[in-house]
Amino acid sequence: MPDLFTSPLASALWRLDGWQMLGALFTMPWVSLVVAAVIACGICVFPGRRARRESRMRLGAATAGGVVARYSREHHTIGLTAIGVVVVFLADNLISGYVLDLNGVISWWRYAMPVFTASVGIGLLLAIVATLGSTPPERPVAVPRRTWLTFSPRTGTAGAALAVLALTATTVLAGLASSNINGGPYVFLEIEINNEPIDPLRPWFYGWAYGIPVLICTAVLLAVMVAALHASAVRPFLRPETVAAEQRERRDVATAITRTATSALLLTLAGAWRFIADAGSVVGLTVQRDGGSDSYTAFWRYGEIAGVGGGLAPLLEIAAFVLLFLVIAQLYPRDHGARPGAEAESHADREAV
């Protein structure tokens, strides 16, 4: 007699349930957060990355008199912005999912919140760079013309551009596919039931009522991001001997800005893909009658594509959280690697030379 627990059918069912359980787990953003934290820790403790970080700390302490103090405020601001994006995103999901009853409420802020939070933080960084971080040079430095792309990471800039394009295309296409009732907000997806004289299904959908605030916040984020990168790049250097150290600091600031903006866009995109997948997964309707019930089959023609997007949403969340954790991790070498007397020591060394 075959063993039911070791038969191929039982193994297949166990694997299927395992995948379903795994998919159910990743519908919760905090699971993506935990996975991203593990990945970010692995990246930070990677031997090659640690060696580069320690060598840059030693170089900064030896040659960057006044540079650490000039840029520390900016690193703290963008680090706190990354923390704010994580905290606000998780708080919104917990409150909206477990505390408030938002059934029938157009909670558009849930999708615009990550982008809005990043916009506020980067806007504050822009104000700091334009005021406190743009002190006049101690000695003139002749350097080539600089733009917002000068210190921006090429890969990070391309990733941010792809995130903007994906979010914009998703929002516009979903808005065009959405519908309303009697002139109301565009929050429905009409799914026709073929060859049947009954009203179409209308599940809630990521329509214009959600998409327009997201597009507005995305435009604001792009504006403040480019302005902050430009302001950080074009300000004068302190002295000729600090150019190399300041260029390194500005690359770090530009990288943090780009990562923070990209992560906010990815979190919003993940939420949009989840919403679209949930609406597009409706496949049938059952109508109760006196003599029984009638079942009808209905499907959205883009439902399979929406389902793929919903499956990829946790990967977008994990990537976003990893980027945010890497931005937060940039605070560590500056808090612990820059000694209070490092600038005085480097100044004394230059005087001795």
Side-chain angles (χ1 to χ4, degrees):
M1 181 176 179
D3 188 355
L4 295 177
F5 295 98
T6 59
S7 64
L9 178 59
S11 300
L13 290 175
W14 186 89
R15 288 195 298 269
L16 179 61
D17 290 340
W19 282 111
Q20 290 176 343
M21 291 176 60
L22 185 63
L25 280 176
F26 277 99
T27 59
M28 296 176 284
W30 64 266
V31 177
S32 300
L33 178 70
V34 173
V35 174
V38 174
I39 295 174
C41 289
I43 294 174
C44 291
V45 302
F46 186 72
R49 182 180 177 88
R50 291 184 62 183
R52 288 194 301 269
R53 184 175 59 192
E54 291 172 359
S55 64
R56 295 176 68 174
M57 287 164 54
R58 289 193 297 269
L59 179 62
T63 63
V67 172
V68 174
R70 188 186 193 194
Y71 291 90
S72 62
R73 187 182 294 107
E74 300 165 22
H75 289 294
H76 281 85
T77 301
I78 195 64
L80 291 176
T81 299
I83 295 173
V85 173
V86 175
V87 171
V88 170
F89 178 79
L90 292 179
D92 175 71
N93 277 270
L94 290 174
I95 294 173
S96 301
Y98 300 99
V99 178
L100 300 179
D101 182 11
L102 298 179
N103 186 26
V105 179
I106 305 174
S107 54
W108 55 266
W109 60 87
R110 299 191 61 189
Y111 302 90
M113 187 61 71
V115 182
F116 175 78
T117 305
S119 300
V120 173
I122 297 176
L124 179 59
L125 175 65
L126 171 61
I128 292 174
V129 171
T131 55
L132 302 176
S134 298
T135 55
E138 298 176 7
R139 293 199 304 274
V141 181
V143 292
R145 181 177 176 270
R146 303 178 301 279
T147 66
W148 68 276
L149 288 172
T150 302
F151 301 105
S152 302
R154 297 294 180 264
T155 303
T157 303
L162 288 176
V164 171
L165 290 176
L167 180 57
T168 302
T170 297
T171 302
V172 172
L173 292 176
L176 293 175
S178 64
S179 63
N180 63 353
I181 298 178
N182 298 326
Y186 282 80
V187 293
F188 299 104
L189 175 67
E190 287 193 356
I191 303 178
E192 300 286 344
I193 299 178
N194 295 329
N195 303 321
E196 295 294 339
I198 59 177
D199 291 338
L201 301 179
R202 291 188 178 91
W204 278 58
F205 187 66
Y206 180 71
W208 289 121
Y210 296 90
I212 290 178
V214 168
L215 290 177
I216 293 174
C217 291
T218 300
V220 173
L221 176 61
L222 285 178
V224 296
M225 181 184 72
V226 173
L229 292 172
H230 181 77
S232 179
V234 301
R235 54 182 163 169
F237 296 104
L238 288 175
R239 297 179 299 275
E241 60 268 22
T242 64
V243 170
E246 290 194 73
Q247 287 177 338
R248 184 174 62 251
E249 293 290 338
R250 295 185 191 189
R251 281 193 295 269
D252 288 346
V253 171
T255 299
I257 292 173
T258 306
R259 286 175 174 175
T260 303
T262 303
S263 63
L265 294 167
L266 291 178
L267 289 176
T268 298
L269 182 61
W273 283 4
R274 287 184 192 276
F275 197 176
I276 294 171
D278 290 341
S281 63
V282 177
V283 294
L285 172 67
T286 299
V287 179
Q288 299 290 338
R289 302 182 186 277
D290 294 337
S293 61
D294 296 329
S295 298
Y296 302 94
T297 300
F299 62 92
W300 186 34
R301 56 180 175 176
Y302 301 113
E304 293 183 356
I305 300 176
V308 173
L312 294 177
L315 299 180
L316 297 183
E317 289 177 346
I318 292 172
F321 286 132
V322 168
L323 291 177
L324 290 171
F325 286 139
L326 292 179
V327 173
I328 298 170
Q330 286 187 9
L331 294 173
Y332 176 79
R334 289 170 179 83
D335 288 341
H336 298 273
R339 302 184 309 276
E343 297 177 13
E345 292 174 6
S346 60
H347 179 72
D349 292 340
R350 290 194 301 272
E351 292 291 333
V353 172

